[in-house]
Amino acid sequence: MTDLTAQTLSAEAVPSTGTASVRDYIALLKPRVMSLVVFTGFVGLAIAPGDIHPVLATIAVLCIAVGAGASGAINMWYDRDIDAVMGRTDKRPIPAGKVDADEALSFGVILAGFSVLVMALAVNVLSAALLAATIGFYVFVYTMWLKRRTPQNIVIGGAAGAVPPVIGWAAATGDVSWLSLVMFAIIFVWTPPHFWALALWKRGEYAAAGVPMLPVVSGERSTKRQILAYSVLLAVLGLAPWAMAATTAVYGVASIVLGGLFVLGAVQVLRAGADDMKPAKLLFGYSILYLFALFGAMLADHWIAG
């Protein structure tokens, strides 16, 4: 197997023009990724037992958002060489020359420290510690260690994106429960098929950048089988809150339908020809809708149940 981690990337980020706008700094925060993180964190907070003052709840959600954005900014700083050679990312602020790399790093570090400090002072120490651990894991374990070294980068690194509902729960209760850990597990298992669907039709770009994503290292067929296996596991795991009697049939039915559609999409990906990337693109898009809808169903179920 080719050691992709030994490759040297020739592309360099374009020097900053010094014309960065507010929009460019917002782009550093990866707002689309942040929206999923914020929503799942909010759901964890909203369905947790007990009461939390609305102002503190708002602060907690904002801290989760800022912490996630800070992670994204630091990730863009570190991955600026990779981003410069991938069509999916070469328009990001740093490789496009809109934001200086050092400024992006400072921006991310300041936001990370600010989010953790405010969470600790305004909400509680446990939620702040979880937020700090999440930022650290995403930056040091996933971005700097796993991403360029192993095709299991997304599997292990996905833990960072799975913690927000646990942080939200801890913000509301000061502890961690089995249901919050189940929410973590759902996102953790969702992450590989979500990213591998993207990696299938962006395989050439990942190969050019020297990133050992599963389709690059193990091939298309193996990746498709892995996507289906994780999709089946996700569909089963999605039923766990209902099986634990933590939700009603409202969520149970929604999870069955959403999980079934996810598996169906994975089957279509497996059956597609080598040059047919349409099912992978559809599954990638649906996977985002799936997570929003599943956690939305959990939230709706909680409100309906009173």
Side-chain angles (χ1 to χ4, degrees):
M1 181 177 68
T2 303
D3 184 7
L4 294 174
T5 63
Q7 295 183 8
T8 301
L9 299 174
S10 58
E12 295 291 338
V14 178
S16 172
T17 60
T19 59
S21 66
V22 173
R23 180 177 296 181
D24 294 324
Y25 280 96
I26 291 176
L28 282 175
L29 305 179
K30 295 187 175 181
R32 285 184 295 180
V33 175
M34 185 197 297
S35 64
L36 270 173
V37 169
V38 172
F39 183 65
T40 57
F42 169 74
V43 172
L45 185 149
I47 70 173
D51 296 318
I52 179 173
H53 193 282
V55 173
L56 293 182
T58 301
I59 291 173
V61 173
L62 286 175
C63 285
I64 292 173
V66 173
S71 299
I74 299 172
N75 171 270
M76 286 197 191
W77 163 77
Y78 190 81
D79 280 349
R80 61 193 185 277
D81 55 346
I82 292 176
D83 288 347
V85 297
M86 294 181 64
R88 187 175 68 88
T89 58
D90 61 1
K91 299 298 187 295
R92 285 176 172 175
I94 300 176
K98 296 178 180 179
V99 178
D100 181 75
D102 290 340
E103 290 179 4
L105 175 60
S106 299
F107 182 59
V109 171
I110 291 171
L111 288 183
F114 176 79
S115 64
V116 172
L117 180 62
V118 172
M119 184 76 93
L121 295 176
V123 186
N124 59 55
V125 173
L126 177 60
S127 59
L130 288 169
L131 180 59
T134 301
I135 295 170
F137 190 92
Y138 184 80
V139 170
F140 296 108
V141 178
Y142 169 67
T143 300
M144 297 184 179
W145 179 35
L146 296 173
K147 186 172 181 177
R148 307 189 190 208
R149 288 174 170 80
T150 171
Q152 295 301 307
N153 46 21
I154 287 299
V155 177
I156 304 170
V163 180
V166 184
I167 299 174
W169 188 286
T173 66
D175 62 15
V176 173
S177 75
W178 283 109
L179 181 56
S180 67
L181 294 177
V182 167
M183 289 188 281
F184 167 90
I186 289 171
I187 303 174
F188 182 76
V189 173
W190 166 87
T191 304
H194 165 70
F195 273 101
W196 286 337
L198 171 67
L200 275 174
W201 53 284
K202 295 293 185 180
R203 179 176 56 181
E205 293 186 17
Y206 281 112
V211 181
M213 294 296 288
L214 191 64
V216 176
V217 176
S218 299
E220 181 181 304
R221 193 67 181 173
S222 176
T223 301
K224 291 180 176 181
R225 292 194 188 101
Q226 291 283 342
I227 287 175
L228 179 57
Y230 273 92
S231 298
V232 171
L233 179 58
L234 177 63
V236 174
L237 189 58
L239 291 169
W242 187 27
M244 295 167 57
T247 62
T248 70
V250 172
Y251 170 83
V253 172
S255 67
I256 291 173
V257 173
L258 291 168
L261 290 174
F262 206 116
V263 172
L264 179 61
V267 170
Q268 291 174 337
V269 169
L270 181 63
R271 290 178 174 176
D275 296 327
D276 184 6
M277 290 294 109
K278 183 177 179 180
K281 293 178 181 179
L282 290 174
L283 182 61
F284 174 74
Y286 174 72
S287 66
I288 299 172
L289 173 64
Y290 169 87
L291 201 62
F292 272 117
L294 188 74
F295 275 75
M298 198 179 302
L299 183 61
D301 181 278
H302 174 74
W303 285 341
I304 290 171

